[in-house]
Amino acid sequence: MAKQKPRTLSGFLELLPEKQVQFDRMVEVLRRCYSLYGFTPLDTPLIEASQVLLAKGGGETEKQIYRFTKGDADLSLRFDLTVPLAKYVALHYADLAFPFRRFQIGKVYRGERAQRGRFREFYQADIDVIGDGKLDIVNEAEVPAIIYSTFTALGLRRFQIRVNNRKILNGFYAMLGLGEQSAAIMRTVDKLDKIGPAKVRELLTETELALPPDAAGEILNFMAIKGGNQEVLSALEGYRGRHPLFDQGLDELSTVVNYLAAFGVPEGHFVVDLTIARGLDYYTGTVYETAMLDHPEIGSICSGGRYDNLAEYYTDKQLPGVGISIGLTRLFFVLEDQGYLNQGMNTAPADVLLLPMTDQLSTAIAAATALRQAGIRTQLYTEQKKFKQRMSYADKLGVPFVLILGEDEIAQEKVTLKDMATGQQQTLPLEEAAQQVLAYLRQFDQMTPIIDT
Amino acid sequence: MAKQKPRTLSGFLELLPEKQVQFDRMVEVLRRCYSLYGFTPLDTPLIEASQVLLAKGGGETEKQIYRFTKGDADLSLRFDLTVPLAKYVALHYADLAFPFRRFQIGKVYRGERAQRGRFREFYQADIDVIGDGKLDIVNEAEVPAIIYSTFTALGLRRFQIRVNNRKILNGFYAMLGLGEQSAAIMRTVDKLDKIGPAKVRELLTETELALPPDAAGEILNFMAIKGGNQEVLSALEGYRGRHPLFDQGLDELSTVVNYLAAFGVPEGHFVVDLTIARGLDYYTGTVYETAMLDHPEIGSICSGGRYDNLAEYYTDKQLPGVGISIGLTRLFFVLEDQGYLNQGMNTAPADVLLLPMTDQLSTAIAAATALRQAGIRTQLYTEQKKFKQRMSYADKLGVPFVLILGEDEIAQEKVTLKDMATGQQQTLPLEEAAQQVLAYLRQFDQMTPIIDT
């Protein structure tokens, strides 16, 4: 028969078993962390009616969308988890209690140009808190705490959460009389890191923006405000009283910063950064980015912010919220690429590979059943192979223990347990073997999926 | 602004939060059970190249496939987890150790006619054991043990695993000289339950099959073999020696039956049923179906079998295997519909709703942080609402405990813990409150997602 060459689409991550275990472990940590903060899991369809999914219309994203027809239906794959959330909340409004706190970890689809480390199918891991009409500022302070505890639980250490407030930026440009141009100015200011202040000044004054030199100077001075969080807040106090939106943003930012210590976020992991704006139009208050300090080239690994109107395309209800998103597939790719994945994790499919050496398998099967009842992942190996091949299979799987059951063992009512790391072998009662395996496994309980030294 | 009416596509299940928690709990039980038997998790892409996914071609399924183009690419959504597994194993053959045991729980897509309880997007939960060239028969005996322990862990009791062997059927028809017609005969015999033996006899002799009456009689006698598993095996022994394929099938079935006691499967949960054939052509040995005894109308909730060649469309390697699949979305729908879901489960998004009664939140935030560190899912509620509204929010969420922190409590370094079920309220140190909550939560550890009395 003619064969079809098997392949996986470019831009679609397909992991080998050990890596999949590491990926799943990260997902598990995220689920646990998000749950601890009172977020409930959701799982919405991957396909939505295009009319519904693209209600907002336009934008760069639309070109990337996987859109197709099935029968009469015009369908699209979701490209993020926010639009489906907006639809969900508008649709199920009457059944939900607000604030509604949900997390969702799921795949989304964007037909981006394929390149290394960019994916067309990728996991996002989102949390959002949605209020009905109003939403308290404390939620905006809690979000960095969640980011902090989540990345810490993953094992990451050298990261920094960067926070700003869109009201401060918008208020600042309004006080300079530049409200209308603020979006274009922010795009230029965003280049500060890359091209430096002199070039940015040139762009601000000499391109179509054509700002007066003193306005450009004010902007660059403002963006140069740096230092400890209290220092930055003090410097911002110097601008107070010139525009109400700015003042409101400064109050919010101060509240967020002041609650963070109570939330247990160490000062070093959190910084006010006036250059953070976030591209998306719909953020209206606090905005977040998260940087890996040793890998600035990666960009933000967790971003989000406060928005005033989640579901305006579906409902007249005012539904403000705050949320963040982790691009999990890309993060995993980067962590693997940079050697951050914990190599000490137990990624074998089983904890014990049980090798029966007799034709009668009942004792071996009963032993496997007992080990499983004790919570030990056990594989019974019954293929007709030589002992050496069996051991090499155990090696290839990376199982930590092999349990041998031959005639001698059965006669003695014992088993032989081989520790694959040390090569040590002991003949002992099954119950004791199980205890040894469980003791070994407990060392992994506190292990994080990432090692960041 | 004109609003787009929010809706979810018909045939796509979208759950409310409490139901989602119950669904997720079932997934968690499946993951744990599958893992205990040494299966490793996989997560392949939802989209594949159509050329690859449809390599086998033809068939009823192909009409239902979601197929579309993106740029130059002809793409399809997976319609099961078996074809992607075949591709995976063929593609990554060199990196895998055989037998390769994997589980996958993921969404698949079939554009079926929408009707109640039928889904176009649904979860399948599959396990497969793939051998390289050969695969020992013991794997076929282990599969019903996995089905048994999985459904038992879910909380189901009144179910029965029905087992047959395709070699017995094919050998039986071959010994009657009806090998060529066996597929058509099996389709007719499959109607036994519905139309009874007299009608089946008519169809066998009078339609285009036109079997001689004695052949039809032999078939009906064979299919009428019923009784305890040993009785059925004894009756089958009466046919031994007439066709080698039959004899081989009988040996296999006997081996499977005889090992099942060692695997801990009670006799009542397992029956040899000669009418089970499974439609799919590629099963070649043991086949399985699982029935809910009180709901025969539902059909099989877990099916599968042994096949000789998983990936023949992709590789010359002979890769025999055995696997089963649970249609999880449909199963969940049926269980919910029939009132099987455990209503006593904790489906609230948080275990504790923390209500600060002071403007200064630092103590409340620190208490929330401490509770989370103790593993208690805690939501801090800071919206500016009246006490009554806060309590009604707690009620609507279904949180088991509310923790109140007012000035009195803060002055005493205590908290007030309200048990929402009993209405009882105590003022006590935070540490003791946490212990009470943890004690309450432990009752759920042994709880199954399903209650089947």
Side-chain angles (χ1 to χ4, degrees), chain A residues 351 369-378 437-438 441, chain B residues 32 36:
Chain A
D351 306 316
T369 304
L371 291 172
R372 287 163 186 154
Q373 276 163 359
I376 295 169
R377 300 176 306 144
T378 305
V437 174
L438 288 170
L441 292 175
Chain B
R32 200 175 55 234
L36 280 176

Side-chain angles (χ1 to χ4, degrees), chain B residues 10-26:
Chain B
S10 133
F12 288 68
L13 189 66
E14 184 171 79
L15 298 169
L16 285 173
E18 314 83 66
K19 294 281 181 259
Q20 187 67 56
V21 170
Q22 293 181 299
F23 186 90
D24 288 6
R25 185 70 196 281
M26 283 181 60

Side-chain angles (χ1 to χ4, degrees), chain A residues 62-73:
Chain A
E62 191 156 348
K63 288 179 215 153
Q64 300 181 344
I65 285 170
Y66 286 84
R67 182 174 181 169
F68 54 92
T69 53
K70 175 81 181 163
D72 300 336

